[in-house]
Amino acid sequence: MEEETKVVKKVSGPAKPQKLRSIDVELAQKLNTGSTQTKSSALFKLRSVVKNEKLTEIQLLKIWKGLFLSLYNTDKPIVQEEFSKDISKLTTYFKDYKDSLMFIKCFFIILQKHWDYIDKYRVDKFYSLVRKMLNSSFQILKKKNAQHEEGSEEEQARLLLNEQIYSGLVKIFKSTVLNTSSDSTTNTNGILLHFADIYLEELFKVTQGHMEPINLTKILLPFVNFLTKSEDDVSCKRIKERVFDRLLTTYSPFDKKDAYYLPKVGVSSSTPDIFPTDYEMMSKLFFKCASSKDTLEQNRKTLYGLKNQFKRAQAALEELEELADNIVLDENGDIVENPNVNPEDLEGDEDSDEEFDVDQMDSEDSGEGEFDDEIDADDAEELDDDEELEDEDEDEDEEEEEEDEVPPPPKNLKSKPSPAQKNKQQQQQQQSPAKPTQVTKKQPPAPITKKQQSPAKPTQVTKKQPPAKPTPITKKQQSPVKPTSPKVVKKSTRK
């Protein structure tokens, strides 16, 4: 059977037009190439697109995926830093602030989605990119913060615009990096911890502390919301230490530093780092969140603790304000006298205090002089007589003590005598019957006769009583006459 061959004729017609690639896909592919020239040209083209065209959220997500892969494959620290700076500057090139906020939101979405693919060798350059993107997001506030005359339409428009930017940033942080759902924070805890570490640092770099207290409270609302609803204990602890504790110490007027403060090497600033914080408002905010029904039970203790800390800070701030009312600085920064205070009033108060002290001293001195002048010549003679009588009494007492001294009894007086000693004692008693007369001689009659022969002592006591004056009484109390009654009792016991 013969094989039939079919000849197919090619029909030559007009070629189909190739489908044009969108700008976002083209830029993403060029950014992901290995050539540095292609990357730089793609980045330059991206700047012009951002300035002139309006991009959707999907297009920005595709562009951010290309930027993520481009930084992932970039080596050498200097090149990485320059590339991160160029990426972060794109935030300020948008005409409308809404596009800038969307660009920041897409960055955090892509970073959370691909965080698991970052190893320990590449994590540092992405931490640096997070810091630079956070700084550029605060630059939007500074760019739109040009002040105008109060009450004008431009000033009202500026305030309204600032409120919209603050609320937009708060929504972005709540929905991305500070999202309280467990699925979003389980795998991206590293971003949140680093975000809490650098938040106040980058905010102060941009604003230099020139913020309204209510705006500062607004920009901190995502962290308050996270402490209220999150189950991540590690992240809650880091936010408390690095954000709110740091706001009470490092960025406060109390001259304190937090436990994790690192001094800036090579940077010297004369002005302290202070945020205008409304401590009373923050205390009420924490109390309201802690007492809310939606708050987790495990987070109430932390919120109540922060409420008490901010309440104590408000009391300390009021004390500082009272002290600062009387301090005035000159052009050189030296403390001078307050012109609102009348110096004559201060001098009058000092004079009255000095006169009061001097009058007290004069009254004390005059009292002592009058007391000394009361002592006359007669009183001096009576005092001399009293001293002579006291000396005679002391001599008599010494003589009585010498007579009353009796040698102590032998130690073996109470021991029982042996039979031989008993026989000797009986023989001696038979041979010497006159011994009882010697016992009567041993009784000392002299002390008794002396005391009986001196009945004039009661008369001397009457002489010693001086007229009713304070000084003689004090001297007699210092040298009283020794009583003789205890000695009579001792003699009777010995007999």
Side-chain angles (χ1 to χ4, degrees), residues 291-349:
S291 59
S292 176
K293 295 180 180 179
D294 300 332
T295 304
L296 297 177
E297 292 295 333
Q298 60 187 5
N299 296 338
R300 292 185 190 275
K301 184 177 179 181
T302 303
L303 293 171
Y304 278 121
L306 288 171
K307 174 251 180 186
N308 294 330
Q309 289 181 6
F310 277 89
K311 189 175 182 180
R312 289 193 295 268
Q314 178 63 25
L317 183 63
E318 291 176 358
E319 293 180 359
L320 286 177
E321 290 176 353
E322 291 178 0
L323 293 174
D325 291 339
N326 296 325
I327 296 175
V328 180
L329 301 178
D330 58 0
E331 297 178 355
N332 298 326
D334 298 330
I335 298 175
V336 297
E337 295 182 357
N338 192 351
N340 296 327
V341 180
N342 190 2
E344 295 180 358
D345 298 337
L346 298 175
E347 291 177 359
D349 296 337

Side-chain angles (χ1 to χ4, degrees), residues 57 61 64 102-115 172 175-177 188 191:
E57 185 176 355
L61 288 172
W64 262 115
M102 189 181 296
F103 186 75
I104 296 168
K105 180 180 178 181
C106 294
F107 161 69
F108 284 111
I109 291 172
I110 294 296
L111 189 65
Q112 286 180 325
K113 185 177 181 180
H114 298 282
W115 184 258
I172 290 171
S175 61
T176 56
V177 64
T188 59
I191 302 174

Side-chain angles (χ1 to χ4, degrees), residues 51-173:
K51 291 178 180 179
N52 301 321
E53 297 183 12
K54 187 174 181 64
L55 301 174
T56 62
E57 185 176 355
I58 296 174
Q59 290 176 335
L60 289 174
L61 288 172
K62 292 178 181 179
I63 291 171
W64 262 115
K65 188 171 183 180
L67 291 171
F68 177 86
L69 295 174
S70 178
L71 182 63
Y72 185 89
N73 296 320
T74 303
D75 297 329
K76 297 179 182 180
I78 298 175
V79 179
Q80 294 169 0
E81 284 292 318
E82 291 179 355
F83 190 63
S84 298
K85 287 180 181 178
D86 295 336
I87 293 173
S88 62
K89 286 179 182 178
L90 293 173
T91 308
T92 59
Y93 292 154
F94 289 92
K95 291 182 179 180
D96 191 1
Y97 74 92
K98 295 180 180 179
D99 296 335
S100 300
L101 295 178
M102 189 181 296
F103 186 75
I104 296 168
K105 180 180 178 181
C106 294
F107 161 69
F108 284 111
I109 291 172
I110 294 296
L111 189 65
Q112 286 180 325
K113 185 177 181 180
H114 298 282
W115 184 258
D116 294 338
Y117 300 100
I118 302 173
D119 54 9
K120 62 180 181 180
Y121 302 105
R122 292 180 171 90
V123 70
D124 290 338
K125 56 185 177 183
F126 284 99
Y127 278 154
S128 178
L129 179 61
V130 172
R131 182 184 286 271
K132 291 177 175 59
M133 285 298 299
L134 183 61
N135 187 292
S136 63
S137 63
F138 292 142
Q139 291 288 345
I140 302 172
L141 300 173
K142 185 178 180 181
K143 184 178 179 181
K144 305 294 183 181
N145 203 18
Q147 295 184 358
H148 301 280
E149 295 180 0
E150 295 183 0
S152 61
E153 295 181 357
E154 296 178 352
E155 181 67 17
Q156 293 179 358
R158 182 190 70 84
L159 295 175
L160 181 61
L161 181 62
N162 283 339
E163 186 177 356
Q164 293 175 355
I165 293 173
Y166 278 109
S167 60
L169 283 176
V170 169
K171 289 179 181 179
I172 290 171
F173 295 152

Side-chain angles (χ1 to χ4, degrees), residues 239-291:
I239 288 172
K240 178 184 177 298
E241 293 175 350
R242 304 301 175 90
V243 179
F244 296 110
D245 289 348
R246 186 170 289 179
L247 193 65
L248 292 168
T249 54
T250 305
Y251 296 101
S252 69
F254 305 122
D255 195 14
K256 295 181 180 179
K257 301 297 180 184
D258 61 287
Y260 306 97
Y261 174 76
L262 296 176
K264 300 175 183 178
V265 180
V267 179
S268 60
S269 60
S270 58
T271 58
D273 300 344
I274 298 174
F275 275 118
T277 310
D278 192 348
Y279 298 107
E280 187 175 0
M281 184 188 297
M282 293 295 295
S283 178
K284 292 179 180 179
L285 178 62
F286 283 119
F287 179 75
K288 187 175 181 180
C289 294
S291 59

Side-chain angles (χ1 to χ4, degrees), residues 6-23:
K6 295 181 179 181
V7 179
V8 179
K9 294 182 179 180
K10 294 182 180 181
V11 180
S12 61
K16 294 182 179 180
Q18 294 182 356
K19 192 174 182 179
L20 296 175
R21 295 180 298 178
S22 60
I23 188 66

